[in-house]
Amino acid sequence: SNTRMPRPVAASASYPACHSLPQHLALSGDLVRAHNNGGVLIATFTNRLAADFALNWARQLHTLGLRSLIGISERLVGWGEGAGGDAGGGEEAFKLAGAGLFCADGPSMKINGQAGRWAEVAPLLRSGLDVLLSDSDIAWFHNPIPYFRAVKQAHPHVDFLLSTDRAFNGYSAQQLAVQPEGRPSASRGKRSGSHGRRLGGRRLGEGSR
């Protein structure tokens, strides 16, 4: 049978409290379970300035039948309202788009939101689920999960994948070699810019700028 049972959320996972945002926005096991896509969490981060991008990102995933999580460093209450009324923005708009909001307001995030978000990824990883993290200024045309499952099947020892639209600082753009089950890959631990390549006749990478 090809039926895949959803991977359970780690029962012992602990999640941090919010620093300055209300505690009802803290990441929790219930929130993670509600936005679990068969063992995969799809996440991004935003603030009020980038909220338009994040809402569009969530709506596209929702159209594909996927739920998402969005870390926020400040409240989005009142954002987008005025021209379009309550239906045009605010935190409720994200809920309607299948997205769960959680506080990502740690000290590193306050200093540098671009680099500081990595500290906010750790709680997501504690869930025991796979985490797909992307920028919010991309467009989703297809469900990306089958691609990553194909990668995991071909490279069972790879536990971190990075896709970029520019290879620099010594990053390798060489395609990962398909490895037999149980054998460590020489590519393990390397960053690979495999976006747009093919595996088994299927295009890799579902997020396009």
Side-chain angles (χ1 to χ4, degrees), residues 32 35-37 39-43 69 124 127 129-133:
V32 167
H35 297 84
N36 176 7
N37 298 285
V40 179
L41 297 177
I42 305 177
L69 287 171
L124 297 174
S127 68
L129 305 177
D130 291 328
V131 177
L132 170 55
L133 177 69

Side-chain angles (χ1 to χ4, degrees), residues 177-190:
V178 175
Q179 65 188 82
E181 178 69 36
R183 291 184 57 187
S185 169
S187 300
R188 185 179 182 184
K190 292 184 178 180

Side-chain angles (χ1 to χ4, degrees), residues 2-209:
N2 293 324
T3 302
R4 293 179 59 91
M5 296 298 293
R7 189 187 306 177
V9 177
S12 60
S14 60
Y15 302 102
C18 300
H19 286 75
S20 58
L21 296 180
Q23 292 305 318
H24 75 268
L25 289 171
L27 190 65
S28 66
D30 288 341
L31 187 67
V32 167
R33 278 186 286 272
H35 297 84
N36 176 7
N37 298 285
V40 179
L41 297 177
I42 305 177
T44 194
F45 295 91
T46 195
N47 56 19
R48 291 176 68 91
L49 292 176
D52 286 305
F53 289 107
L55 181 58
N56 183 62
W57 177 91
R59 283 173 171 167
Q60 289 179 339
L61 288 169
H62 193 49
T63 298
L64 298 172
L66 299 170
R67 298 174 294 279
S68 59
L69 287 171
I70 300 177
I72 57 174
S73 57
E74 58 186 340
R75 292 300 300 270
L76 303 180
V77 174
W79 160 83
E81 299 174 3
D86 291 345
E91 295 176 357
E92 183 65 21
F94 287 89
K95 182 177 179 180
L96 295 175
L101 300 180
F102 68 96
C103 60
D105 58 346
S108 297
M109 199 72 161
K110 296 293 185 181
I111 296 172
N112 185 322
Q114 186 71 11
R117 61 182 174 169
W118 292 105
E120 308 293 342
V121 175
L124 297 174
L125 295 174
R126 293 190 196 114
S127 68
L129 305 177
D130 291 328
V131 177
L132 170 55
L133 177 69
S134 83
D135 292 340
S136 61
D137 60 340
I138 66 167
W140 296 100
F141 297 112
H142 303 286
N143 181 347
I145 294 177
Y147 155 61
F148 288 105
R149 285 180 176 159
V151 171
K152 195 168 185 177
Q153 182 177 6
H155 311 285
H157 298 289
V158 171
D159 53 16
F160 181 85
L161 294 169
L162 173 67
S163 176
T164 179
D165 52 10
R166 178 189 174 203
F168 60 98
N169 290 343
Y171 288 178
S172 172
Q174 181 178 357
Q175 187 172 9
L176 291 173
V178 175
Q179 65 188 82
E181 178 69 36
R183 291 184 57 187
S185 169
S187 300
R188 185 179 182 184
K190 292 184 178 180
R191 297 178 175 88
S192 174
S194 59
H195 182 85
R197 297 184 181 273
R198 294 182 178 273
L199 177 64
R202 300 186 62 168
R203 183 171 176 80
L204 304 188
E206 306 297 349
S208 300
R209 292 188 182 276

